[in-house]
Amino acid sequence: MAEKLLMKGNEAIAEAAIRAGCKLFFGYPITPQTELAEYMAKQMPKRGGLSLQAESEIAAINMVLGAASTGARVITSSSSPGISLKSEGISYIIGSDVPCVIVNVQRGGPGLGGIQPAQSDYNQATKALGHGDGHDIVLAPNSVQEIATLVGEAFDLADIYRMPCMILADGALGQMMEPVDFEAKPAREIPEKDWACNGHGGKRVHNIVNSLYIEPEKLEEIVLERFERYKKLEENEVKYEEYLTEDADIVLVAYGITARIAKTAVRNARKKGIKAGLFRPITLYPFPAKQLNELADKANCFLSVEMNMGQMVNDIKIAIDCKKKVYHYGRTGGMIPTPEDILAKIEEYSGGNK
Amino acid sequence: MTSFNELATEKITIISGPYGSGKTNVAVNLAMSLAESGLECRIADLDIVNPYFRSADNKELLEKMGVTTLVPEFANTSVDIPALPQNYQLLFNGSGKSIADVGGDGDGAAVLGLSHDDYIEAGYKMYFVYNRYRYITAEPEGALEVLEEIKRASGLDFHGIINNSNLGLETDEEAILNSIPYAKKLSEISNLPLLFTTAPDWLDIENTVKIKDITKKLF
């Protein structure tokens, strides 16, 4: 095992991307993700890549579309308001079936909001990152170490399914420092990018990357084909972690940094004799619906813990067919829940629904 | 050296080093150590670059111990802008000792260059905090680059190196001991004395100075 190093989450995203063979970064600074852009600016030129500070987030995402069309591994990063600006470009990327990685180090919103950690872009990331029928893959790491493996996985998934993959982090994860070991991630087989516009040398027909289809019959056909790919993604790529859910009466559902706070709360609840467990979705899209549904046959109730006003609650309800009550506890605007706050909610709800 | 207090031989002690070396932790530990010895001191948060982790976070803890904190008026508010503390001059003319916690590269150190003459007039010692486990500045040569950058931007000289190598909560004896040859190498190539190696207060390691971890814990 390689020697561990101490890194900020933002730096680890950048380093993991470079190690995954990403040669291109297009971005625009915004707190709390700026270290990522800074790291890219310092490292990319030394490592055979290019880092460019675009004139705006909109310019950056369109550079990503162009670069991705050539089959190159490309990444962009921003924080909440910047992601909103990118949404048109992201829709074009979805509509063009090209892979890329997009990082959102979330901060409090709406509007300019604040600069402290939040998870209030859950709905935007999982439901409507851009207009039109389409999806992006959403991965939610919960530690600097998990960032190191999930960023590489994000590039692989993007390439395999030819779609954008988002790393949904938050200000705490981006800014905190933890030991990290960039162990080799198991290699995945990446299909040949025979669709890429990377020069045909007169030996094959032109490839065209495009998201405009004037004929509705054609557009529908393309969207349907895309949804076949989403189906495969949903069947094969769901990732999650369970902690003490086997005999749990109350199952907390939390992702990212909040899952770690919730884990401490679960541990403390167990010490008090309360059968609490934690279910942590790692892929937010595709959502681990089947696994949650199975849990709903055993548990009494669910408690969604998020740094927002309850954006994941409906996903849990749908996943479990409303078989059990789903409560929510959240802080928002940049406030972070404490293990004590969460434990109080566990105590309040674990007695109910018997 | 065997204690933080020995760093504060001059009016002003400047703690500088790359981002993530733990300089804020070192600066705050120095302030707490001076305060525990009954010495009057103040700490100035001069990190104008990164608004996320800074001395200002520990204002309450420090003031309780009798340490005056000089923090930018708007630190940790919606208008956390690159600004100096309003009572910045106390750093030079307040009674007792002063500690400056400075942002970790040439850009961060530009704030020192601004008052270069005042530091020389008041008398200062500037120390470089080294962490063997920070990615870009892990190698002594990489750390030296940042050290030189800070020197250029500040126009001030360094007087020693503090080996604060750590892996956060995963710091163990092996990590500390393994870091020492690298700190010595940095000392050699920078021509600066290695003053001491820190170790988190939960570890008992010979010839190290204990340091308290004052960063906020989320879980």
Side-chain angles (χ1 to χ4, degrees):
Chain A
M1 199 158 88
E3 192 177 41
K4 281 195 175 182
L5 292 158
L6 193 62
M7 286 188 102
K8 273 195 173 201
N10 284 335
E11 296 168 341
I13 296 172
E15 178 59 32
I18 296 173
R19 285 179 189 234
C22 174
K23 293 279 182 225
L24 300 157
F25 171 82
F26 303 107
Y28 189 81
I30 180 170
T31 303
Q33 67 80 51
T34 300
E35 291 84 1
L36 203 168
E38 202 180 344
Y39 194 95
M40 288 297 196
K42 282 184 179 152
Q43 289 294 305
M44 275 298 199
K46 290 183 189 165
R47 294 162 78 173
L50 173 98
S51 170
L52 193 146
Q53 181 177 324
E55 62 269 41
S56 71
E57 287 85 349
I58 299 168
I61 194 68
N62 282 291
M63 290 173 186
V64 170
L65 169 58
S69 304
T70 70
R73 284 199 155 178
V74 54
I75 190 169
T76 185
S77 69
S78 192
S79 178
S80 309
I83 296 293
S84 292
L85 282 169
K86 288 181 196 290
S87 71
E88 182 203 42
I90 295 170
S91 175
Y92 280 44
I93 290 168
I94 293 170
S96 304
D97 296 308
V98 291
C100 70
V101 174
I102 298 156
V103 180
N104 183 359
V105 184
Q106 296 170 92
R107 56 189 253 180
L112 273 176
I115 59 167
Q116 296 299 326
Q119 296 179 316
S120 38
D121 303 343
Y122 175 92
N123 277 342
Q124 182 194 44
T126 59
K127 306 292 183 298
L129 199 45
H131 61 273
D133 274 324
H135 284 293
D136 59 300
I137 303 163
V138 185
L139 304 180
N142 74 339
S143 67
V144 179
Q145 182 60 61
E146 196 169 72
I147 282 173
T149 44
L150 280 187
V151 169
E153 180 70 1
F155 278 103
D156 287 354
L157 288 172
D159 277 347
I160 293 167
Y161 294 92
R162 284 183 65 181
M163 59 193 284
C165 181
M166 172 172 274
I167 297 286
L168 190 65
D170 62 79
L173 203 51
Q175 293 291 330
M176 69 195 278
M177 263 189 239
E178 286 190 303
V180 57
D181 175 357
F182 290 94
E183 282 172 274
K185 187 181 84 67
R188 291 187 67 155
E189 207 176 312
I190 306 298
E192 206 194 325
K193 295 178 177 175
D194 53 8
W195 47 264
C197 299
N198 52 2
H200 53 77
K203 292 191 179 102
R204 59 160 169 79
V205 290
H206 285 286
N207 282 336
I208 296 170
V209 170
N210 170 46
S211 70
L212 175 68
Y213 297 94
I214 294 294
E215 298 159 41
E217 295 83 2
K218 180 72 184 161
L219 181 53
E220 184 186 51
E221 186 191 314
I222 282 169
V223 171
L224 290 176
E225 184 277 323
R226 204 169 284 139
F227 272 74
E228 284 302 310
R229 255 182 293 146
Y230 295 158
K231 221 165 95 186
K232 279 194 198 121
L233 180 76
E234 288 165 15
E235 277 162 19
N236 301 320
E237 307 294 352
V238 166
K239 298 181 206 299
Y240 59 95
E241 184 200 336
E242 288 183 81
Y243 176 68
L244 304 179
T245 50
E246 193 49 45
D247 64 340
D249 293 331
I250 177 166
V251 174
L252 278 67
V253 188
Y255 54 90
I257 196 74
T258 314
R260 289 175 72 176
I261 307 169
K263 198 171 194 173
T264 304
V266 164
R267 215 176 287 132
N268 293 339
R270 287 274 171 174
K271 281 183 202 148
K272 288 190 159 191
I274 302 168
K275 285 185 179 171
L278 172 70
F279 186 92
R280 176 170 78 92
I282 298 171
T283 49
L284 298 181
Y285 176 78
F287 193 71
K290 198 172 120 249
Q291 293 75 14
L292 271 170
N293 192 295
E294 283 162 15
L295 270 184
D297 294 329
K298 298 189 285 184
N300 290 332
C301 66
F302 291 80
L303 171 60
S304 176
V305 185
E306 301 171 80
M307 289 193 287
N308 63 40
M309 294 303 288
Q311 298 190 16
M312 186 172 58
V313 169
N314 282 348
D315 281 346
I316 302 170
K317 283 184 180 171
I318 293 166
I320 65 168
D321 294 328
C322 294
K323 282 191 270 195
K324 297 286 160 63
K325 183 92 182 150
V326 182
Y327 298 100
H328 167 254
Y329 176 67
R331 297 295 301 270
T332 192
M335 297 302 292
I336 302 172
T338 66
E340 295 74 35
D341 295 339
I342 300 169
L343 180 58
K345 292 290 163 188
I346 295 175
E347 287 176 319
E348 184 182 336
Y349 297 132
S350 59
N353 207 30
K354 275 181 181 160
Chain B
M1 285 187 190
T2 55
S3 73
F4 279 102
N5 281 3
E6 289 170 66
L7 296 171
T9 56
E10 297 290 329
K11 171 80 196 166
I12 303 170
T13 307
I14 305 169
I15 306 293
S16 191
Y19 282 103
S21 56
K23 58 190 173 314
T24 293
N25 212 25
V26 168
V28 170
N29 269 269
L30 170 59
M32 293 194 298
S33 168
L34 290 173
E36 272 166 24
S37 312
L39 293 163
E40 185 185 357
C41 72
R42 69 193 54 76
I43 183 167
D45 183 340
L46 303 185
D47 190 344
I48 56 165
V49 177
N50 189 333
Y52 246 82
F53 293 107
R54 53 194 311 165
S55 290
D57 292 341
N58 307 293
K59 193 171 156 77
E60 209 177 313
L61 169 82
L62 288 164
E63 303 243 310
K64 215 184 283 171
M65 299 185 71
V67 179
T68 313
T69 53
L70 313 182
V71 302
E73 202 179 343
F74 299 112
N76 296 344
T77 72
S78 299
V79 277
D80 201 336
I81 48 170
L84 288 172
Q86 203 178 18
N87 41 8
Y88 178 51
Q89 283 305 317
L90 281 175
L91 193 69
F92 309 102
N93 56 28
S95 56
K97 300 284 187 187
S98 296
I99 303 161
D101 173 16
V102 183
D105 55 16
D107 296 334
V111 67
L112 295 173
L114 195 72
S115 328
H116 163 266
D117 294 351
D118 296 330
Y119 285 98
I120 290 172
E121 204 179 301
Y124 75 93
K125 285 271 201 254
M126 180 160 80
Y127 303 110
F128 185 84
V129 180
Y130 171 66
N131 183 355
R132 161 70 190 148
Y133 301 104
R134 282 290 289 150
Y135 192 61
I136 301 288
T137 49
E139 298 305 325
E141 294 75 12
L144 183 65
E145 261 179 53
V146 176
L147 189 148
E148 295 292 343
E149 207 179 282
I150 295 170
K151 256 168 79 172
R152 273 195 302 276
S154 66
L156 300 174
D157 287 322
F158 277 102
H159 299 91
I161 290 158
I162 298 164
N163 177 23
N164 188 48
S165 295
N166 74 87
L167 277 166
L169 294 175
E170 287 185 33
T171 312
D172 58 11
E173 183 163 352
E174 200 190 342
I176 305 262
L177 296 178
N178 286 346
S179 74
I180 294 172
Y182 296 93
K184 283 188 175 153
K185 177 81 192 294
L186 175 61
S187 157
E188 203 182 294
I189 60 177
S190 64
N191 277 318
L192 292 168
L194 173 60
L195 302 173
F196 57 81
T197 293
T198 64
D201 55 1
W202 68 83
L203 292 176
D204 255 318
I205 307 172
E206 240 184 303
N207 300 322
T208 60
V209 172
K210 287 198 179 199
I211 187 164
K212 289 188 187 85
D213 182 0
I214 47 90
T215 50
K216 284 187 274 188
K217 297 283 173 291
L218 296 178
F219 33 80

